[in-house]
Amino acid sequence: MNVNQTTAADEVIADAKAPEPSKAERTSERTDMVGKAMGLLVLLGDEPRGASAAEISRRAELPFSTTYRLLGSLTRDGFVDYEPEGRRYHLGLRIFQLGQRVSNHHGFAGTAMPVLRRVTEQTGEATILSVRDGHHHLTVNKVDGPQMFRVTSDPGHLGALHTTAVGKALVAFAEDSERERLLDELELEPLTEHSITDRKAFRAEMELVRRNGYAVMDEENEIGMRAVAVPLLSASGHVFASLATAAPVFRLSLDALIAQVPLLQEAAAELTARLPQR
C-alpha cells in the first residue's frame, strides 16, 4: 500500500485522537447555525407562495440535510409553517407576532395609522410608510384607498430603493457618508423598461430629489403604477422613514400626484413629531 494512503480504520483512530472542540468552538458552531436559520427565514420572506425544502436548500447553498433539520426546528417553534399537500414551507404566525410587536414598539401601528388613514381619505389613494432595511425599503404601514385597484406593497414587503419613490427618498436624504455608500453599492437592476440602471443617472436623480424635497416613481418599479414620496427627517436633518401616495397611471397623472406633496409633507411633519427616530 502507498504510504500516502490511509485506511478507514486509520481515519477512525485519527478522529478518536482528535481533540474535543473547545467551548468557544462549540459556541461559534451554535451561533453559525442560528445565522443559517435566520437566513432561511429571510429567504422564505421572499417567497409569498412558499418553497420546498429542496428549493430553499439550493437558494441558501446549504446541504439538504442541514436545511431540512433547521426547517424542522423552525416549524416546531412556529416560525415556519409546513404545507403537507404541496410540501412547501411558509413563514409562520410567530414571525407575524414578532413583527407586530416591533411595529407597536416603534409606534408605527398606534401612532402612524391614523395619520395614514387621514391622508388616504383626502387623496382617495394608497398611503405607504417605509423605512430602510439595508439595500431595500421595508413597508411598515399601508392604508389602501377605496378604489378596486390595490397597491401591492403590503406591510413587511421589501422593495428596491432605486425604483421606488419611498426608496429614492430614503437614499437621497440619508446621511452624506451613507448616501455615498448607497450610490456606490446599490445594484441598479431594471424592474421595468423605465427603471434607472445607470449609476450616473441615478446620482443625478438623487440630486433632483434633494432639490425638490420629494421623490417620484413613474412606472419604474411596476408598469401601470406611479408614486410620490417625502422624507421624514430627524432633528439632524437625516431621513429615518418616508411617506408616499401611490396610484395607478390611469387614475392620476404625474402632475396630479405631485400636487399631493404638500399634504404628504404636512403628514410627515406630524409623524416626525410623534414617531421615535432610530
Side-chain angles (χ1 to χ4, degrees):
M1 182 180 68
N2 190 301
V3 293
N4 291 324
Q5 293 178 322
T6 59
T7 65
D10 292 331
E11 292 175 352
V12 170
I13 293 171
D15 286 341
K17 292 180 179 179
E20 288 290 324
S22 67
K23 183 178 180 180
E25 289 171 333
R26 290 196 299 272
T27 300
S28 177
E29 183 178 351
R30 285 195 297 270
T31 302
D32 187 48
M33 292 305 288
V34 170
K36 290 175 180 176
M38 295 300 101
L40 296 187
L41 292 176
V42 171
L43 289 175
L44 280 174
D46 293 332
E47 298 289 347
R49 291 186 296 273
S52 68
E55 291 169 341
I56 298 168
S57 173
R58 285 195 296 271
R59 288 195 60 194
E61 298 182 351
L62 290 175
F64 179 83
S65 58
T66 301
T67 302
Y68 188 77
R69 185 169 66 252
L70 289 173
L71 287 172
S73 297
L74 292 168
T75 301
R76 180 195 63 214
D77 294 333
F79 293 102
V80 169
D81 285 337
Y82 177 62
E83 177 194 335
E85 289 185 6
R87 297 184 179 181
R88 303 181 78 78
Y89 293 86
H90 307 260
L91 289 181
L93 281 177
R94 183 66 174 150
I95 294 293
F96 175 76
Q97 292 168 351
L98 293 175
Q100 288 297 102
R101 290 177 185 176
V102 171
S103 178
N104 289 333
H105 173 72
H106 287 287
F108 292 126
T111 302
M113 285 300 284
V115 178
L116 269 64
R117 290 193 187 101
R118 191 168 67 247
V119 173
T120 290
E121 286 172 3
Q122 296 183 58
T123 64
E125 302 294 348
T127 308
I128 302 165
L129 181 65
S130 290
V131 298
R132 187 167 64 85
D133 184 1
H135 285 190
H136 297 84
H137 77 81
L138 171 68
T139 301
V140 292
N141 270 130
K142 184 189 77 165
V143 174
D144 280 312
Q147 310 283 356
M148 291 293 293
F149 198 94
R150 291 181 66 254
V151 175
T152 56
S153 180
D154 290 321
H157 169 76
L158 280 176
L161 291 173
H162 69 293
T163 61
T164 58
V166 287
K168 290 178 185 179
L170 290 168
V171 174
F173 293 96
E175 189 175 354
D176 293 349
S177 59
E178 186 68 8
R179 182 173 65 255
E180 286 301 315
R181 185 182 68 80
L182 290 168
L183 288 172
D184 288 337
E185 294 181 2
L186 284 179
E187 294 184 15
L188 305 180
E189 297 180 359
L191 296 186
T192 76
E193 61 188 272
H194 304 290
S195 301
I196 298 176
T197 58
D198 178 76
R199 202 161 296 277
K200 184 177 180 180
F202 185 63
R203 185 176 288 273
E205 176 82 354
M206 293 303 94
E207 289 301 319
L208 180 63
V209 171
R210 289 178 63 81
R211 288 198 302 272
N212 290 339
Y214 62 85
V216 297
M217 181 279 292
D218 193 6
E219 299 190 272
E220 299 157 60
N221 190 69
E222 184 180 352
I223 293 296
M225 293 299 301
R226 290 190 177 112
V228 61
V230 300
L232 275 63
L233 301 176
S234 67
S236 61
H238 300 131
V239 67
F240 68 93
S242 59
L243 184 68
T245 290
V249 296
F250 64 82
R251 270 209 306 261
L252 281 185
S253 67
L254 191 57
D255 287 341
L257 201 56
I258 293 173
Q260 307 301 324
V261 167
L263 175 62
L264 286 173
Q265 289 174 330
E266 181 181 342
E270 184 176 351
L271 289 171
T272 298
R274 293 186 178 190
L275 293 174
Q277 301 171 17
R278 60 186 184 89

